[in-house]
Amino acid sequence: MALKDIQFFTEDIDFTIKEKQRVREWIGATIKAEGFRRIGELSFVFCSDAYLLEINKQYLDHDTFTDIVTFDSSEEQGVIAGDIFISVERIRENAQKFHVSERDELHRVIIHGILHLCGYGDKGKRDKARMTEKEDHYLSVRGF
């Protein structure tokens, strides 16, 4: 897995992800565990609520705040590629709401986006339960 293809960017906020290489390794291990053989271009864009709301409106026709929007750009079977937009403001608010650390909430949302690219949904009750189960599993094995 080419971990160098996992990139982190920011839009309209001042934010730096901590433990970048460990996060990359964890993402790579998750993708491999889900049966994918390669990482294509995989971009995480950390942004504000307002920035993500505009993306949500423009591309998904949703006029709601969200913590994450995932765009799959995979073109080959067995290859993960895409753009994952994450609202840092939503992460901070949800961390307080759910009584977890901002780091754990950020990692949960990061892996949530990866799981979407792996083909997991979260719309129905059953899909949401499966997604949460997978998130919990990968958080428990992250090792850092």
Side-chain angles (χ1 to χ4, degrees), residues 51-68:
Y51 188 90
L52 195 52
L53 178 61
E54 284 308 309
I55 288 174
N56 218 4
K57 286 179 185 176
Q58 184 176 350
Y59 296 101
L60 303 175
D61 203 26
H62 297 159
D63 190 6
T64 56
F65 288 109
T66 186
D67 51 3
I68 186 169

mmCIF file of all heavy atoms in Angstrom, residues 51-68:
data_model
loop_
_atom_site.group_PDB
_atom_site.id
_atom_site.type_symbol
_atom_site.label_atom_id
_atom_site.label_comp_id
_atom_site.label_asym_id
_atom_site.label_seq_id
_atom_site.Cartn_x
_atom_site.Cartn_y
_atom_site.Cartn_z
ATOM 1 N N TYR A 51 -17.892 25.718 4.989
ATOM 2 C CA TYR A 51 -17.302 25.162 3.769
ATOM 3 C C TYR A 51 -17.967 23.834 3.413
ATOM 4 O O TYR A 51 -18.353 23.608 2.266
ATOM 5 C CB TYR A 51 -15.791 24.971 3.977
ATOM 6 C CG TYR A 51 -15.042 24.591 2.725
ATOM 7 C CD1 TYR A 51 -14.519 25.568 1.888
ATOM 8 C CD2 TYR A 51 -14.854 23.258 2.380
ATOM 9 C CE1 TYR A 51 -13.821 25.230 0.730
ATOM 10 C CE2 TYR A 51 -14.159 22.907 1.231
ATOM 11 C CZ TYR A 51 -13.648 23.892 0.413
ATOM 12 O OH TYR A 51 -12.965 23.555 -0.729
ATOM 13 N N LEU A 52 -18.120 22.965 4.411
ATOM 14 C CA LEU A 52 -18.725 21.657 4.158
ATOM 15 C C LEU A 52 -20.211 21.772 3.837
ATOM 16 O O LEU A 52 -20.734 21.013 3.019
ATOM 17 C CB LEU A 52 -18.494 20.709 5.343
ATOM 18 C CG LEU A 52 -18.746 19.236 5.067
ATOM 19 C CD1 LEU A 52 -18.002 18.743 3.830
ATOM 20 C CD2 LEU A 52 -18.359 18.400 6.266
ATOM 21 N N LEU A 53 -20.894 22.737 4.432
ATOM 22 C CA LEU A 53 -22.301 22.975 4.106
ATOM 23 C C LEU A 53 -22.451 23.320 2.628
ATOM 24 O O LEU A 53 -23.361 22.816 1.958
ATOM 25 C CB LEU A 53 -22.879 24.088 4.980
ATOM 26 C CG LEU A 53 -24.333 24.465 4.715
ATOM 27 C CD1 LEU A 53 -25.272 23.282 4.951
ATOM 28 C CD2 LEU A 53 -24.742 25.654 5.578
ATOM 29 N N GLU A 54 -21.552 24.146 2.106
ATOM 30 C CA GLU A 54 -21.613 24.510 0.686
ATOM 31 C C GLU A 54 -21.392 23.287 -0.208
ATOM 32 O O GLU A 54 -22.069 23.136 -1.228
ATOM 33 C CB GLU A 54 -20.614 25.620 0.362
ATOM 34 C CG GLU A 54 -21.057 26.981 0.837
ATOM 35 C CD GLU A 54 -22.469 27.351 0.382
ATOM 36 O OE1 GLU A 54 -22.768 27.252 -0.832
ATOM 37 O OE2 GLU A 54 -23.291 27.713 1.242
ATOM 38 N N ILE A 55 -20.476 22.432 0.165
ATOM 39 C CA ILE A 55 -20.250 21.190 -0.603
ATOM 40 C C ILE A 55 -21.500 20.322 -0.547
ATOM 41 O O ILE A 55 -21.940 19.776 -1.556
ATOM 42 C CB ILE A 55 -19.021 20.438 -0.057
ATOM 43 C CG1 ILE A 55 -17.763 21.195 -0.457
ATOM 44 C CG2 ILE A 55 -18.985 18.990 -0.550
ATOM 45 C CD1 ILE A 55 -16.495 20.649 0.128
ATOM 46 N N ASN A 56 -22.071 20.222 0.635
ATOM 47 C CA ASN A 56 -23.287 19.416 0.832
ATOM 48 C C ASN A 56 -24.429 19.935 -0.047
ATOM 49 O O ASN A 56 -25.145 19.160 -0.674
ATOM 50 C CB ASN A 56 -23.677 19.438 2.314
ATOM 51 C CG ASN A 56 -24.213 18.129 2.816
ATOM 52 O OD1 ASN A 56 -24.251 17.134 2.107
ATOM 53 N ND2 ASN A 56 -24.626 18.123 4.061
ATOM 54 N N LYS A 57 -24.579 21.244 -0.092
ATOM 55 C CA LYS A 57 -25.627 21.853 -0.923
ATOM 56 C C LYS A 57 -25.349 21.654 -2.408
ATOM 57 O O LYS A 57 -26.211 21.233 -3.171
ATOM 58 C CB LYS A 57 -25.728 23.358 -0.639
ATOM 59 C CG LYS A 57 -26.364 23.745 0.654
ATOM 60 C CD LYS A 57 -26.341 25.271 0.765
ATOM 61 C CE LYS A 57 -26.850 25.789 2.064
ATOM 62 N NZ LYS A 57 -26.710 27.262 2.136
ATOM 63 N N GLN A 58 -24.117 21.974 -2.814
ATOM 64 C CA GLN A 58 -23.758 21.981 -4.232
ATOM 65 C C GLN A 58 -23.765 20.589 -4.861
ATOM 66 O O GLN A 58 -24.276 20.409 -5.964
ATOM 67 C CB GLN A 58 -22.378 22.613 -4.403
ATOM 68 C CG GLN A 58 -21.963 22.755 -5.854
ATOM 69 C CD GLN A 58 -20.622 23.483 -5.981
ATOM 70 O OE1 GLN A 58 -20.098 24.036 -5.025
ATOM 71 N NE2 GLN A 58 -20.073 23.480 -7.171
ATOM 72 N N TYR A 59 -23.217 19.609 -4.156
ATOM 73 C CA TYR A 59 -23.044 18.299 -4.771
ATOM 74 C C TYR A 59 -24.068 17.253 -4.354
ATOM 75 O O TYR A 59 -24.312 16.301 -5.089
ATOM 76 C CB TYR A 59 -21.633 17.763 -4.492
ATOM 77 C CG TYR A 59 -20.572 18.615 -5.129
ATOM 78 C CD1 TYR A 59 -19.853 19.531 -4.373
ATOM 79 C CD2 TYR A 59 -20.296 18.522 -6.490
ATOM 80 C CE1 TYR A 59 -18.886 20.335 -4.953
ATOM 81 C CE2 TYR A 59 -19.335 19.320 -7.085
ATOM 82 C CZ TYR A 59 -18.628 20.225 -6.299
ATOM 83 O OH TYR A 59 -17.677 21.020 -6.878
ATOM 84 N N LEU A 60 -24.648 17.423 -3.162
ATOM 85 C CA LEU A 60 -25.572 16.404 -2.661
ATOM 86 C C LEU A 60 -26.993 16.922 -2.488
ATOM 87 O O LEU A 60 -27.882 16.174 -2.091
ATOM 88 C CB LEU A 60 -25.052 15.834 -1.334
ATOM 89 C CG LEU A 60 -23.644 15.229 -1.402
ATOM 90 C CD1 LEU A 60 -23.174 14.814 -0.014
ATOM 91 C CD2 LEU A 60 -23.611 14.055 -2.370
ATOM 92 N N ASP A 61 -27.178 18.215 -2.733
ATOM 93 C CA ASP A 61 -28.494 18.841 -2.589
ATOM 94 C C ASP A 61 -29.061 18.680 -1.176
ATOM 95 O O ASP A 61 -30.249 18.491 -0.987
ATOM 96 C CB ASP A 61 -29.470 18.295 -3.639
ATOM 97 C CG ASP A 61 -30.609 19.262 -3.910
ATOM 98 O OD1 ASP A 61 -30.405 20.475 -3.708
ATOM 99 O OD2 ASP A 61 -31.690 18.806 -4.308
ATOM 100 N N HIS A 62 -28.149 18.731 -0.178
ATOM 101 C CA HIS A 62 -28.542 18.661 1.239
ATOM 102 C C HIS A 62 -28.222 20.004 1.880
ATOM 103 O O HIS A 62 -27.083 20.454 1.811
ATOM 104 C CB HIS A 62 -27.762 17.575 1.989
ATOM 105 C CG HIS A 62 -28.007 16.196 1.488
ATOM 106 N ND1 HIS A 62 -27.118 15.172 1.718
ATOM 107 C CD2 HIS A 62 -29.020 15.644 0.783
ATOM 108 C CE1 HIS A 62 -27.571 14.058 1.175
ATOM 109 N NE2 HIS A 62 -28.721 14.325 0.597
ATOM 110 N N ASP A 63 -29.199 20.608 2.519
ATOM 111 C CA ASP A 63 -28.982 21.893 3.183
ATOM 112 C C ASP A 63 -28.859 21.670 4.685
ATOM 113 O O ASP A 63 -29.618 22.201 5.478
ATOM 114 C CB ASP A 63 -30.137 22.852 2.856
ATOM 115 C CG ASP A 63 -29.844 24.274 3.307
ATOM 116 O OD1 ASP A 63 -28.716 24.544 3.773
ATOM 117 O OD2 ASP A 63 -30.746 25.119 3.194
ATOM 118 N N THR A 64 -27.890 20.833 5.069
ATOM 119 C CA THR A 64 -27.685 20.511 6.484
ATOM 120 C C THR A 64 -26.196 20.460 6.793
ATOM 121 O O THR A 64 -25.377 20.147 5.932
ATOM 122 C CB THR A 64 -28.290 19.133 6.846
ATOM 123 O OG1 THR A 64 -27.722 18.141 5.990
ATOM 124 C CG2 THR A 64 -29.796 19.129 6.710
ATOM 125 N N PHE A 65 -25.881 20.747 8.061
ATOM 126 C CA PHE A 65 -24.511 20.589 8.522
ATOM 127 C C PHE A 65 -24.228 19.100 8.680
ATOM 128 O O PHE A 65 -25.125 18.316 8.999
ATOM 129 C CB PHE A 65 -24.300 21.299 9.866
ATOM 130 C CG PHE A 65 -24.279 22.792 9.756
ATOM 131 C CD1 PHE A 65 -25.324 23.541 10.254
ATOM 132 C CD2 PHE A 65 -23.204 23.443 9.158
ATOM 133 C CE1 PHE A 65 -25.317 24.926 10.156
ATOM 134 C CE2 PHE A 65 -23.192 24.826 9.049
ATOM 135 C CZ PHE A 65 -24.242 25.572 9.552
ATOM 136 N N THR A 66 -22.985 18.722 8.461
ATOM 137 C CA THR A 66 -22.569 17.334 8.629
ATOM 138 C C THR A 66 -21.108 17.322 9.034
ATOM 139 O O THR A 66 -20.409 18.328 8.861
ATOM 140 C CB THR A 66 -22.799 16.528 7.330
ATOM 141 O OG1 THR A 66 -22.512 15.154 7.578
ATOM 142 C CG2 THR A 66 -21.929 17.029 6.192
ATOM 143 N N ASP A 67 -20.657 16.204 9.559
ATOM 144 C CA ASP A 67 -19.254 16.114 9.942
ATOM 145 C C ASP A 67 -18.372 15.631 8.798
ATOM 146 O O ASP A 67 -17.176 15.887 8.773
ATOM 147 C CB ASP A 67 -19.059 15.229 11.173
ATOM 148 C CG ASP A 67 -19.714 13.859 11.061
ATOM 149 O OD1 ASP A 67 -20.295 13.541 10.009
ATOM 150 O OD2 ASP A 67 -19.659 13.111 12.047
ATOM 151 N N ILE A 68 -18.974 14.950 7.806
ATOM 152 C CA ILE A 68 -18.175 14.365 6.738
ATOM 153 C C ILE A 68 -18.970 14.242 5.445
ATOM 154 O O ILE A 68 -20.173 13.983 5.475
ATOM 155 C CB ILE A 68 -17.644 12.974 7.164
ATOM 156 C CG1 ILE A 68 -16.676 12.395 6.127
ATOM 157 C CG2 ILE A 68 -18.778 12.018 7.465
ATOM 158 C CD1 ILE A 68 -15.919 11.171 6.621
#
